[in-house]
Amino acid sequence: MHRLKLTWLGNEGSIAQTTATFRTILWITISYYIGRFMIGLLVGANAVYRVVEVAKIMASSPTSGNQFGGNPPPKNTVGGLLVWGRILFILSFVAFTIYLIAKTRKHIRSKYGIPEQSCHGCEDFCCALWCHWCTVAQMGRHTADYETYAALCCSENGQPPHVPSVEIVGHPRHFHPSNGTGGIV
């Protein structure tokens, strides 16, 4: 997204607005995993508490054909809320991710004049939803020349700092062998 000069919401922006795109997305992702872990701990702790409470009821009540001594099992509204909160938290992150991938893919297609080939009107969304890893890899190949420059993990734009920005004339993957470098024209 940084390479395309997009903000963390997938909108075009100035250099000043897009400088922190990678760091913002990284912090959102880290926050998501920390939040998911913390909610998981709460759900787990609540499940242990529930098992202990049920065991206490079973041990203290005489059995009269019901494992809870004739009483209904205790309700656990906190545990239910935690589980549904966790599900909502995960689905929100997944929806945000699909939205960003679809919006970025649409931007790349419009910038480089790539037509939709199937699912007209919703191809970007379908690709982001059903095969998001492949879609991200495809976008990377369309916005960088990995045959000439190596990719870097956790850099601002996925490539070394000295790599020029890819501005493609015509088709996005048109290589011109006569320029001696085999680079993108």
Side-chain angles (χ1 to χ4, degrees):
M1 293 177 65
H2 180 76
R3 235 183 273 163
L4 296 167
K5 300 188 180 32
L6 297 177
T7 65
W8 67 276
L9 288 173
N11 301 320
E12 289 189 67
S14 66
I15 301 248
Q17 293 170 322
T18 61
T19 302
T21 298
F22 172 76
R23 284 178 294 236
T24 304
I25 295 292
L26 179 65
W27 280 112
I28 288 171
T29 304
I30 289 170
S31 300
Y32 163 74
Y33 281 107
I34 290 172
R36 185 173 167 181
F37 176 75
M38 297 304 287
I39 293 172
L41 286 178
L42 290 174
V43 168
N46 191 283
V48 169
Y49 172 75
R50 181 165 167 74
V51 168
V52 169
E53 288 300 309
V54 169
K56 283 181 187 176
I57 290 172
M58 289 176 63
S60 67
S61 303
T63 40
S64 57
N66 183 336
Q67 63 180 350
F68 297 105
N71 298 324
K75 293 189 177 183
N76 189 356
T77 55
V78 173
L81 288 174
L82 285 172
V83 169
W84 283 108
R86 184 176 190 202
I87 291 169
L88 182 62
F89 184 69
I90 292 169
L91 289 177
S92 298
F93 183 76
V94 169
F96 175 70
T97 304
I98 290 170
Y99 166 78
L100 277 184
I101 292 171
K103 192 163 183 177
T104 304
R105 187 176 192 274
K106 184 175 183 175
H107 174 78
I108 290 170
R109 279 190 323 92
S110 66
K111 181 176 181 176
Y112 298 127
I114 304 169
E116 287 182 311
Q117 295 183 359
S118 55
C119 297
H120 295 287
C122 64
E123 182 176 308
D124 301 320
F125 173 76
C126 287
C127 289
L129 177 66
W130 300 116
C131 195
H132 48 275
W133 299 114
C134 299
T135 304
V136 170
Q138 180 188 44
M139 291 188 297
R141 286 190 309 272
H142 276 284
T143 59
D145 184 9
Y146 291 117
E147 292 177 10
T148 305
Y149 302 105
L152 289 179
C153 182
C154 295
S155 68
E156 289 289 323
N157 64 2
Q159 293 191 304
H162 69 279
V163 174
S165 176
V166 176
E167 291 299 324
I168 301 169
V169 178
H171 191 271
R173 295 303 294 164
H174 175 73
F175 286 87
H176 194 285
S178 67
N179 68 4
T181 64
I184 298 175
V185 194

